[in-house]
Amino acid sequence: MMFSRLFSLLSFLSLWRPGVGNLNHGLSANSSNSCRCVPGDSCFPTADTWAQLNTSLSGRLVNVVSSAAFCHAVGCTDAQWTSSVFRANVPGAMNQVNWEQDYFSDPPSVCFLNSSDSRLPQQCNQGSGDVPLYAILAESAEDIQAGVNFAREYNLRLAIKASGHDYLGRSTARDSLLISTHSLQGILFSDDFVVGDTNHGSAVTVGSGVALNTLYAATKAQGKIFVGGTAATVVPAGGYVQGAGHSALSPAYGLAVDNVLEFIVVVANGSVLTVNEIEHSDLFWAMRGGGAGSWGVIVSATFRLYPTFNATVCESVIITTVPAAMGAVAAVHAKHIFDLDALQAGQYFWVVPTGVMVSDAEVIAMLVSTYFPNNASLEDSEAAYQPFIEEVGNVTNVGVLNNTCAVAQINDALNSASDAVGTDLVMGSRLFPASVYNTSADAIGDMYTALLENGTQYILGHLVAGGQVAENADIDMALNPAWRTAKTHMIIVNNWNDSFSIPEVAAQERLFTSSFQRAALTEIAGEDSGSYTNEADGLEPDFRTTFYGPNYEKLEAVKSIYDPGDLFIVAAGVGSERWDKAGFCRV
Ligand SMILES: Cc1cc2nc3c(=O)[nH]c(=O)nc-3n(C[C@H](O)[C@H](O)[C@H](O)COP(=O)(O)OP(=O)(O)OC[C@H]3O[C@@H](n4cnc5c(N)ncnc54)[C@H](O)[C@@H]3O)c2cc1C
Ligand SMILES: *[C@@H]1O[C@H](CO)[C@@H](O)[C@H](O)[C@H]1NC(C)=O
Ligand SMILES: *[C@@H]1O[C@H](CO)[C@@H](O)[C@H](O)[C@H]1NC(C)=O
Ligand SMILES: *[C@@H]1O[C@H](CO)[C@@H](O)[C@H](O)[C@H]1NC(C)=O
Ligand SMILES: *[C@@H]1O[C@H](CO)[C@@H](O)[C@H](O)[C@H]1NC(C)=O
Ligand SMILES: *[C@@H]1O[C@H](CO)[C@@H](O)[C@H](O)[C@H]1NC(C)=O
Ligand SMILES: *[C@@H]1O[C@H](CO)[C@@H](O)[C@H](O)[C@H]1NC(C)=O
Ligand SMILES: *[C@@H]1O[C@H](CO)[C@@H](O)[C@H](O)[C@H]1NC(C)=O
Ligand SMILES: *[C@@H]1O[C@H](CO)[C@@H](O)[C@H](O)[C@H]1NC(C)=O
Ligand SMILES: *[C@@H]1O[C@H](CO)[C@@H](O)[C@H](O)[C@H]1NC(C)=O
Ligand SMILES: *[C@@H]1O[C@H](CO)[C@@H](O)[C@H](O)[C@H]1NC(C)=O
Ligand SMILES: *[C@@H]1O[C@H](CO)[C@@H](O)[C@H](O)[C@H]1NC(C)=O
């Protein structure tokens, strides 16, 4: 592609990507302190100053490169590239590789794994793209304090990463100092976790590097289970809980925010605070749903535990080549969704392309995984589940490939070794109220048909609300109240790969908000329906209402107490409207 054409396109893009046009990347003056200090600024720390920080951290400060640059240097297998375990261990690596790229600066700064592509000059140095410059591999609260104090004193852009799972790119930032909490691997069990005068009973305190798979194994050994997601390396005490934290067990036990009892947090002034119902209760309110990365650096969090159990897990694969037939399946699914209520089941129902072609049409699959908790018997579970599958069997042009139910130990059923990641993708989402399933099952089916006929490939449904999530409506916390009336969370994924041109990448990034997709979801869910911040589009135009509902103003008030200088700014986070898109300059 001709660069002149590319650049005129980029200046056009900056018109509708507020902030990109006035970044002054690398040139900001800091004269009014309206911008963070970046290399080249007189306020940016000198090499000697960084070396002193490194010494104070006993050498735990490292240079950061993108995952592609890391792999160029050491050589990686495809299995590593696509592994979330590998990506948790490489400080600059994000799970969605697109967040490591800076596609839209002038000139762009990208680094591809397979760099034979010569359309763009590759930049794979320290801090190239949207990768941080330096990372602190924190091993203690003191290491985190050193990082927070240094970033505040030198007016640096600060980023925090636990696993790098974030779908909004909130765990990286260009020219930043990154605090990685991946090494905080402590796990401490308590039979009587007391806050004030309340004994909450069995609980576990986990460091903010402990991954779900580690915790599923550790709690199993204690005969316990907690409310955790279906993922390998998502960190419960990282971004997961600050957003809400949904689980296949949520209809039975609520969200992670309903089960967190305490945080230990380093706040912007460098103090380590104990945050719970009694101490700093305003911050405790905010950190339960007020969004990841906006409050401080979590050192550890304590979660309620339950006696573990067996679950009946049902798996079905439903296929068709006809979009309208998948829409009919979705309508049947919607009609039967309340069948699962009595047993408090959680479910994932994901419509995905298979890549398999049958006479010029691609096979589309709906993968359905249903978890019946609390020792529900195989017979009772099948009785609740099979009416859905039986009715699907009557839909024209549809096949049920696989349909099995089996009893499994719940910690094992939710545990996995790694997540398949390492691609370029963004998503958008809406919480679907329970009421629409009572009134609009056919309209939900029509929504699927329309989305699929319009080229949407991934429509991911999560039945992770209702039940105990609804019953916990009176707990006072920042969580978007749309969760309390929701039945499901519905996600649309848009992806690309390194062969896409920059305008094509821009189009994919905007597809959810600019096309038919978002309108299709809100038509069913309601214009004022909410979205789960952790699985969402960072470009939501009205993010304050969409992500935080009526709680935004109070969240701003709490932030002004604990982070008056806006040290913790992330995409679509509280206070982010005061900053440009990349978080460098006040607007
Ligand atoms: C494969 C996959 C499966 C998923 N499954 C589920 C699921 O079942 N249920 C669910 O609810 N969500 C799920 N998610 C979404 C997940 O909750 C978010 O990606 C979440 O942000 C991950 O948190 P993290 O700390 O592991 O990730 P990171 O990318 O490391 O961090 C995410 C955000 O949290 C902040 N953060 C990280 N560590 C800290 C810390 N120590 N202190 C303060 N802020 C911190 C970061 O700055 C960033 O803003 C899934 C995501 C993926 C990619
Ligand atoms: C930039 O801002 C920081 C933090 O307010 C300040 O310490 C520093 O002196 C400023 N640098 C310049 C060059 O103004
Ligand atoms: C920090 O010090 C360690 C050990 O002395 C060294 O290996 C590392 O490269 C240093 N980090 C930076 C960013 O220079
Ligand atoms: C890079 O190339 C290898 C070998 O051709 C291929 O297997 C892999 O999928 C490619 N990866 C990416 C991210 O392009
Ligand atoms: C840091 O801020 C917290 C919360 O406002 C406050 O309780 C604490 O005393 C402050 N610490 C210092 C050293 O100022
Ligand atoms: C599940 O069964 C086990 C073993 O009998 C028991 O200890 C546990 O309390 C049961 N859990 C529930 C939720 O019924
Ligand atoms: C499926 O179709 C058959 C034949 O028309 C009918 O008897 C049966 O009731 C249908 N089953 C369901 C679950 O709709
Ligand atoms: C079908 O179910 C079995 C048993 O759960 C599982 O091992 C197999 O992988 C499934 N097949 C597909 C295509 O999902
Ligand atoms: C749980 O399931 C296992 C088989 O997966 C079985 O051995 C065990 O007895 C079951 N426990 C309960 C409480 O049902
Ligand atoms: C929807 O219908 C189900 C099943 O009949 C019922 O339990 C539930 O209360 C209804 N919910 C709403 C919001 O109307
Ligand atoms: C596809 O989207 C367009 C608008 O972007 C809309 O007019 C059209 O109705 C959609 N197609 C279907 C099948 O709904
Ligand atoms: C990238 O995506 C395009 C368009 O979907 C596809 O044609 C191409 O095969 C993909 N390339 C790779 C390496 O996967």
Side-chain angles (χ1 to χ4, degrees):
M1 164 173 308
M2 299 286 297
F3 276 104
S4 54
R5 204 179 121 228
L6 180 63
F7 292 154
S8 63
L9 256 161
L10 284 167
S11 55
F12 165 69
L13 294 179
S14 68
L15 295 178
W16 47 263
R17 278 178 62 93
V20 170
N22 56 17
L23 264 185
N24 291 329
H25 184 42
L27 302 169
S28 46
N30 190 39
S31 53
S32 60
N33 281 339
S34 66
C35 294
R36 299 298 181 203
C37 298
V38 297
D41 291 352
S42 58
C43 56
F44 193 76
T46 62
D48 279 354
T49 311
W50 284 109
Q52 282 162 25
L53 175 66
N54 196 11
T55 303
S56 76
L57 292 161
S58 309
R60 287 188 290 278
L61 183 76
V62 296
N63 296 335
V64 182
V65 296
S66 65
S67 55
F70 181 92
C71 288
H72 294 167
V74 304
C76 300
T77 61
D78 281 1
Q80 286 174 315
W81 180 258
T82 55
S83 158
S84 69
V85 173
F86 173 78
R87 289 182 176 278
N89 280 309
V90 176
M94 297 292 114
N95 281 219
Q96 284 67 240
V97 197
N98 45 299
W99 300 117
E100 299 175 30
Q101 315 287 13
D102 172 9
Y103 298 105
F104 302 114
S105 280
D106 179 2
S109 175
V110 297
C111 179
F112 296 146
L113 178 63
N114 296 333
S115 50
S116 58
D117 187 326
S118 60
R119 288 171 305 126
L120 295 168
Q122 305 278 305
Q123 297 194 24
C124 299
N125 301 319
Q126 177 186 2
S128 291
D130 277 355
V131 172
L133 282 167
Y134 297 96
I136 294 172
L137 308 181
E139 290 184 358
S140 64
E142 290 73 25
D143 289 351
I144 294 174
Q145 289 176 289
V148 165
N149 289 334
F150 191 84
R152 190 190 62 251
E153 279 161 24
Y154 289 94
N155 189 26
L156 302 178
R157 180 83 170 93
L158 183 65
I160 316 165
K161 175 190 173 190
S163 71
H165 264 281
D166 201 67
Y167 286 121
L168 293 82
R170 295 173 300 182
S171 35
T172 185
R174 89 178 65 130
D175 287 344
S176 67
L177 170 61
L178 176 77
I179 297 176
S180 165
T181 59
H182 177 61
S183 298
L184 298 174
Q185 291 289 335
I187 299 179
L188 187 67
F189 289 95
S190 163
D191 290 331
D192 298 288
F193 192 80
V194 176
V195 176
D197 294 335
T198 309
N199 184 343
H200 291 279
S202 183
V204 64
T205 300
V206 279
S208 55
V210 176
L212 283 172
N213 59 6
T214 305
L215 195 55
Y216 281 127
T219 50
K220 182 187 176 188
Q222 304 282 323
K224 307 287 186 185
I225 186 65
F226 63 101
V227 172
T230 306
T233 65
V234 162
V235 169
Y240 174 78
V241 63
Q242 296 175 79
H246 67 62
S247 167
L249 305 181
S250 289
Y253 294 105
L255 297 163
V257 283
D258 297 331
N259 287 282
V260 68
L261 303 172
E262 183 169 285
F263 295 102
I264 307 295
V265 193
V266 177
V267 288
N269 67 9
S271 289
V272 184
L273 303 185
T274 297
V275 175
N276 57 37
E277 253 339 321
I278 308 288
E279 296 176 71
H280 303 289
S281 59
D282 51 352
L283 186 55
F284 190 55
W285 178 89
M287 290 179 71
R288 287 174 297 161
S294 299
W295 309 103
V297 185
I298 299 174
V299 180
S300 67
T302 302
F303 295 96
R304 194 178 277 125
L305 292 175
Y306 300 91
T308 195
F309 47 78
N310 278 347
T312 297
V313 183
C314 296
E315 306 268 5
S316 308
V317 181
I318 301 164
I319 57 164
T320 181
T321 54
V322 183
M326 188 53 80
V329 169
V332 171
H333 176 269
K335 279 175 199 153
H336 283 278
I337 204 161
F338 297 109
D339 296 358
L340 306 176
D341 284 7
L343 294 176
Q344 301 179 302
Q347 184 185 69
Y348 303 98
F349 49 107
W350 291 5
V351 172
V352 296
T354 60
V356 177
M357 304 299 289
V358 176
S359 49
D360 288 345
E362 184 173 17
V363 176
I364 317 163
M366 182 188 271
L367 313 177
V368 189
S369 300
T370 313
Y371 297 77
F372 294 90
N374 295 336
N375 304 322
S377 72
L378 187 59
E379 295 71 27
D380 290 351
S381 304
E382 285 183 329
Y385 182 66
Q386 292 307 335
F388 158 57
I389 292 296
E390 278 165 26
E391 197 173 337
V392 165
N394 277 4
V395 179
T396 315
N397 290 321
V398 166
V400 179
L401 259 198
N402 206 5
N403 182 43
T404 56
C405 295
V407 174
Q409 201 283 331
I410 190 63
N411 303 61
D412 293 341
L414 295 175
N415 200 345
S416 57
S418 186
D419 304 304
V421 296
T423 58
D424 300 309
L425 65 82
V426 290
M427 57 177 54
S429 61
R430 280 297 180 275
L431 289 158
F432 274 37
S435 55
V436 308
Y437 284 91
N438 292 56
T439 57
S440 312
D442 287 325
I444 290 171
D446 293 344
M447 174 195 84
Y448 274 79
T449 302
L451 285 167
L452 293 168
E453 285 183 348
N454 260 358
T456 303
Q457 293 204 292
Y458 295 83
I459 309 170
L460 310 183
H462 297 67
L463 166 50
V464 290
Q468 194 62 44
V469 176
E471 279 166 37
N472 287 343
D474 290 340
I475 306 177
D476 187 20
M477 63 169 80
L479 180 77
N480 188 338
W483 269 106
R484 302 301 187 188
T485 50
K487 188 72 180 164
T488 64
H489 188 235
M490 297 295 303
I491 299 171
I492 289 174
V493 173
N494 292 306
N495 61 354
W496 65 91
N497 64 38
D498 293 344
S499 76
F500 279 50
S501 69
I502 286 183
E504 286 168 343
V505 169
Q508 288 303 95
E509 279 202 348
R510 299 296 301 197
L511 199 54
F512 180 72
T513 52
S514 70
S515 81
F516 176 69
Q517 292 179 345
R518 180 165 157 273
L521 297 191
T522 56
E523 192 183 331
I524 304 291
E527 208 40 65
D528 55 356
S529 54
S531 163
Y532 173 32
T533 48
N534 278 349
E535 295 172 331
D537 188 344
L539 302 177
E540 281 283 358
D542 189 12
F543 76 87
R544 286 177 266 196
T545 309
T546 304
F547 293 152
Y548 310 101
N551 293 328
Y552 198 77
E553 233 173 278
K554 185 171 172 192
L555 284 165
E556 284 277 29
V558 176
K559 188 167 176 80
S560 72
I561 297 170
Y562 291 94
D563 185 19
D566 280 353
L567 190 60
F568 302 105
I569 291 295
V570 294
V574 173
S576 63
E577 74 279 5
R578 290 189 286 273
W579 294 82
D580 62 26
K581 198 113 228 106
F584 277 91
C585 294
R586 288 178 187 271
V587 291

